[in-house]
Amino acid sequence: METVLVTGGAGYIGSVLVAELLSNGYKVIVVDNFRYKQTSLNALCYHKNFEVIKGDVCLQSVMLPALKKADYIFPLAALVGAPLCEQDPLTATAVNKAAVLMMLKYLSPHQRVVMPTTNSAYGSGDENNDCDEQSSLKPISQYAIEKVEVEKALLEHPNTISYRLATVFGLSPRMRLDLLVNDFTYRAVHDGFLVLFEGHFKRNYIHVRDVSNAFLHAMAYFDLMKGGIFNIGLSNANLSKRELCAKIKDHLPAFHYLEAHCGKDPDQRNYIVSNQKIENTGYKPQYSVDDGIVELIKGYVMLQNSLYANV
């Protein structure tokens, strides 16, 4: 039985992926500091092939014993996204960059790594905003800049794959409301109204379960894919923010959105991404943006982030 080490395994992607790995017959070790007090792995603790370590991925004393047991390593632990990294840049560098470089230093040649990076590294793409894995990288945020540096170091090792993830959406045991589809749908459900800044800016999207499936796909086709960089997204979902709002309105007709003609979105990403390379290996996403919106609407009936609201 092969062992998979998942750092950040209690997070948004990790808590979906760990369950899938266990159901597919792998032994899973999770390292997570549980900084968000999440209980997203509670339902897996019965499983005899599940091990959890509460600890900091920046510490050799935590990581080295876990690394020695692993056939595959999925380094998901990160401060994800530009706003969070701007709030705490020192911790962001420690977790997103230094911890991964430390881990790479202690890898043995036979160990296999699939690393999530980000397609936000494309910035705004070429003059037509088009991007594929050969496109120049123009990272804007600290988060994207450090992911680019980590990807370069990652690919110096013989058994590694880099996944440049699109903007992820969908429900997870460790939910995130700050991701764009999740955020816009939440506002549509609970506020019924949204003000858009630079609504023509485009991004690519991918369901959290399709990200999980992409990691399983990499395990099945590792020898074919190793040493490669792959965009992971929906080829039919290079959507502007305006187009995303229109999709949400299809499911929630009472939702209204207004485009502001002054002000700027602090996130200046604007690109159209090709996912043809991963599709050529046989990978096919299963969930559309519309599927995700329907799922989120159902989920938000149960989930309301009202911790600091008066009513």
Side-chain angles (χ1 to χ4, degrees), residues 3-223:
T3 298
V4 186
L5 170 61
V6 184
T7 70
Y12 178 64
I13 295 171
S15 55
V16 174
L17 175 58
V18 169
E20 286 298 311
L21 289 168
L22 289 168
S23 69
N24 278 272
Y26 294 99
K27 179 176 173 58
V28 181
I29 303 170
V30 166
V31 175
D32 201 297
N33 65 0
F34 297 92
R35 65 176 284 166
Y36 301 106
K37 300 180 174 61
Q38 65 268 47
T39 58
S40 50
L41 300 177
N42 283 10
L44 303 178
C45 291
Y46 78 96
H47 208 297
K48 63 181 180 181
N49 293 324
F50 175 59
E51 178 183 349
V52 60
I53 300 167
K54 184 177 182 180
D56 189 334
V57 295
C58 298
L59 298 177
Q60 291 186 23
S61 59
V62 171
M63 287 299 297
L64 296 191
L67 274 174
K68 288 177 182 177
K69 302 177 185 178
D71 301 295
Y72 286 89
I73 301 99
F74 298 158
L76 305 188
L79 270 65
V80 178
L84 184 58
C85 292
E86 287 171 7
Q87 284 180 18
D88 192 352
L90 295 179
T91 302
T93 295
V95 176
N96 296 1
K97 180 180 173 182
V100 179
L101 297 180
M102 181 267 287
M103 179 202 72
L104 293 174
K105 178 181 175 183
Y106 289 101
L107 281 181
S108 66
H110 73 274
Q111 289 179 302
R112 297 176 167 193
V113 182
V114 185
M115 175 85 195
T117 54
T118 176
N119 68 17
S120 64
Y122 295 124
S124 294
D126 63 16
E127 64 274 10
N128 299 312
N129 302 111
D130 293 320
C131 306
D132 63 19
E133 291 85 353
Q134 302 301 316
S135 298
S136 298
L137 300 180
K138 304 170 186 175
I140 297 168
S141 65
Q142 175 187 344
Y143 175 70
I145 290 167
E146 292 184 340
K147 283 288 189 179
V148 169
E149 294 176 30
V150 164
E151 182 181 76
K152 183 178 178 181
L154 175 78
L155 294 174
E156 292 175 359
H157 287 258
N159 280 316
T160 57
I161 296 170
S162 175
Y163 273 172
R164 291 179 181 167
L165 301 184
T167 297
V168 188
F169 64 89
L171 285 172
S172 162
R174 190 328 227 188
M175 191 54 187
R176 283 183 60 193
L177 298 181
D178 57 301
L179 297 162
L180 202 65
V181 179
N182 297 357
D183 176 33
F184 281 15
T185 306
Y186 185 89
R187 292 169 188 267
V189 169
H190 290 296
D191 300 335
F193 185 79
L194 178 69
V195 178
L196 273 182
F197 293 94
E198 296 177 311
H200 63 287
F201 276 14
K202 290 194 171 189
R203 289 198 212 172
N204 199 217
Y205 300 93
I206 187 73
H207 194 284
V208 63
R209 293 193 176 275
D210 283 324
V211 175
S212 175
N213 290 336
F215 278 89
L216 291 165
H217 181 81
M219 299 172 84
Y221 296 96
F222 197 91
D223 289 338

Side-chain angles (χ1 to χ4, degrees), residues 221-275:
Y221 296 96
F222 197 91
D223 289 338
L224 170 68
M225 298 171 63
K226 68 181 179 181
I229 299 168
F230 298 88
N231 294 327
I232 307 295
L234 287 163
S235 291
N236 63 354
N238 284 295
L239 301 174
S240 70
K241 289 185 282 185
R242 185 186 306 125
E243 290 167 331
L244 173 59
C245 284
K247 278 188 174 289
I248 296 170
K249 188 173 177 65
D250 286 341
H251 299 281
L252 293 169
F255 171 51
H256 296 282
Y257 54 96
L258 174 69
E259 291 198 58
H261 298 291
C262 60
K264 295 182 69 174
D265 187 336
D267 190 334
Q268 288 290 295
R269 285 180 284 161
N270 181 27
Y271 43 63
I272 299 166
V273 178
S274 168
N275 302 291

